[in-house]
Amino acid sequence: MLMRFLLLLFCCFSTLNAVPLQDLKLTSGSIVLMNADTGAILYSKNPYEVLYPASITKIATAAYAIKVRG
């Protein structure tokens, strides 16, 4: 999931001027692209679909939690 998000983020910003977000050919089941500063949703596809976090997401969350505490 995290890898999909990072790939989407990279693709969107590298082609933002060339391709409108609605015209992207995305194969993932659910995507939400949000502005971290304002909280505004820039793009979404099935935003309310319930998905389980991928293993890399769990590891990244644990690493972040350990870093914040330490």
Side-chain angles (χ1 to χ4, degrees):
M1 182 82 154
L2 179 61
M3 295 305 288
R4 285 186 198 169
F5 173 76
L6 293 176
L7 181 60
L8 171 69
L9 191 63
F10 175 77
C11 290
C12 285
F13 285 116
S14 66
T15 62
L16 193 56
N17 294 327
V19 178
L21 288 173
Q22 291 76 13
D23 294 342
L24 291 175
K25 304 288 188 238
L26 303 173
T27 59
S28 62
S30 178
I31 295 171
V32 176
L33 180 62
M34 182 174 79
N35 182 325
D37 294 330
T38 64
I41 303 297
L42 304 174
Y43 178 80
S44 65
K45 175 183 173 185
N46 298 327
Y48 300 107
E49 183 176 346
V50 178
L51 300 172
Y52 294 104
S55 296
I56 191 70
T57 305
K58 296 174 203 169
I59 293 169
T61 302
Y64 178 73
I66 290 169
K67 184 176 180 180
V68 169
R69 284 188 176 184

